[in-house]
Amino acid sequence: MFTIGCHLSSSKGFLHMGKEAISLGANTFQFFTRNPRGFSSKEPDPADCEAFIKYWSENNGGKIVAHAPYTLNACSAEEKTRELAYMIMSDDLKRMELVPDNYYNFHPGSHVKQGVEKGTDYIVELLNRVITPEQKTIVLLETMAGKGSEIGRTFEEIQAIIERVELKDKIGVCMDTCHVFDGGYDIINKLDSVFEEFDRIIGLNKLYAVHINDSKNVMGSHKDRHECIGKGNIGIEAFERFVNHKAVQGLPMILETPNDLPGYKQEIELLKGLYKE
Ligand code: FE
Ligand code: FE
Ligand code: ZN
């Protein structure tokens, strides 16, 4: 099944997002668990979650992806900030149990002068504290562009975290096409070898979701500026090969391109057109 959708506003709840996704021709979506540039949020309504689950299964919806706020930094040098990251993530994961069996994606964090190793230690520490054996949500580390001191710019950095997470079946990866391209992976000309590398270092069984974005910048720029599909430096032919690659079959693909809803609707249609059954 080709599973495609886009980022949606969560302000009107789950059922609203589900209906909005279906109206756009989508069968998945992503949403922020709370204010992406702050931490505020309102409690999810259990009745809304239940209505969504029913509606979503009736409409053959796929796995959905929650996104942690950008401001969360699991590997900050400040203990207060790390503790806040723990509290936010733990609260988000508790809420996700109202819509079980989905994904929770987060940016590994920025180590800011502490070095990748120290940063990695903090991220591992947080994950081993926050992930519980009972939870039905899989936590995903997003591959990053490597802007500033972001951790997760290489598959090795992601694997260095995963290999130390105790509850292995609750941790995975979300690959962002703009980020890996900006991070220096040639998904235009060497898609097979990029996936082979991912498989060798992390394992393709750990790949659960994709952020499908073109890039305003060139490969290896470490910039992280998303562009609409086909209008950036990755280009439409590369996306055609990407969506049809065996490594990503069935995974939810989420657009995070600069678009309004009609724009997303068109882009979803475009990607469906590139996909060969
Ligand atoms: Fe992200
Ligand atoms: Fe992303
Ligand atoms: Zn990005």
Side-chain angles (χ1 to χ4, degrees):
M1 184 177 68
F2 189 51
T3 313
I4 181 78
C6 62
H7 190 92
L8 296 174
S9 161
S10 58
S11 62
K12 291 179 182 147
F14 280 100
L15 183 59
H16 186 268
M17 286 191 282
K19 288 184 172 169
E20 198 159 68
I22 297 298
S23 80
L24 297 175
N27 52 358
T28 182
F29 61 88
Q30 178 176 267
F31 60 98
F32 284 121
T33 53
R34 50 190 77 223
N35 180 347
R37 311 218 173 263
F39 294 110
S40 62
S41 76
K42 57 174 204 274
E43 287 283 324
D45 167 13
D48 173 57
C49 292
E50 232 170 273
F52 162 72
I53 291 168
K54 182 162 180 283
Y55 175 82
W56 201 234
S57 78
E58 284 167 1
N59 286 277
N60 297 315
K63 302 274 188 196
I64 59 170
V65 184
H67 196 306
Y70 294 136
T71 35
L72 182 143
N73 189 3
C75 60
S76 166
E78 300 287 327
E79 195 185 343
K80 258 199 333 229
T81 309
R82 294 198 305 274
E83 202 52 31
L84 183 63
Y86 166 76
M87 275 156 58
I88 298 292
M89 218 189 250
S90 139
D91 191 43
D92 280 352
L93 287 174
K94 212 172 294 156
R95 292 171 178 199
M96 285 298 287
E97 292 299 293
L98 291 170
V99 285
D101 303 312
N102 289 302
Y103 304 137
Y104 179 77
N105 172 75
F106 79 109
H107 296 179
S110 295
H111 65 75
V112 200
K113 292 183 191 148
Q114 302 174 93
V116 178
E117 242 170 87
K118 188 75 201 155
T120 303
D121 287 348
Y122 283 140
I123 297 164
V124 169
E125 202 177 295
L126 175 123
L127 287 171
N128 283 331
R129 248 177 103 196
V130 85
I131 298 175
T132 63
E134 298 81 30
Q135 74 181 45
K136 296 261 191 323
T137 303
I138 298 180
V139 176
L140 305 182
L141 293 150
E142 183 167 351
T143 61
M144 300 311 291
K147 207 173 45 178
S149 63
E150 274 174 351
I151 294 184
R153 70 192 272 174
T154 63
F155 300 156
E156 285 84 356
E157 286 184 9
I158 299 270
Q159 178 56 17
I161 299 168
I162 291 180
E163 69 186 7
R164 292 168 57 199
V165 172
E166 285 152 21
L167 297 165
K168 289 273 184 304
D169 57 332
K170 310 286 187 200
I171 188 82
V173 181
C174 173
M175 180 191 276
D176 187 309
T177 55
C178 169
H179 297 178
V180 289
F181 182 70
D182 284 19
Y185 291 97
D186 188 357
I187 57 172
I188 301 177
N189 303 302
K190 294 177 181 161
L191 188 61
D192 280 338
S193 52
V194 171
F195 279 126
E196 277 161 28
E197 198 174 330
F198 187 102
D199 195 35
R200 182 162 40 80
I201 295 164
I202 304 174
L204 280 168
N205 62 332
K206 283 281 163 222
L207 185 58
Y208 287 92
V210 169
H211 285 166
I212 190 149
N213 306 307
D214 211 326
S215 175
K216 283 196 199 297
N217 294 289
V218 295
M219 193 179 84
S221 61
H222 303 297
K223 283 270 187 6
D224 188 6
R225 299 273 316 281
H226 301 184
E227 182 54 284
C228 293
I229 301 297
K231 294 188 180 146
N233 287 301
I234 299 177
I236 200 81
E237 287 85 13
F239 281 109
E240 180 166 9
R241 289 189 292 272
F242 188 94
V243 298
N244 289 294
H245 200 283
K246 62 181 187 306
V248 297
Q249 292 316 298
L251 303 187
M253 297 198 191
I254 309 287
L255 289 158
E256 302 174 307
T257 47
N259 264 314
D260 51 12
L261 292 178
Y264 274 137
K265 188 173 183 174
Q266 275 182 15
E267 238 173 20
I268 288 163
E269 216 167 79
L270 171 74
L271 285 163
K272 281 180 170 174
L274 296 179
Y275 181 72
K276 303 173 195 87
E277 292 293 329

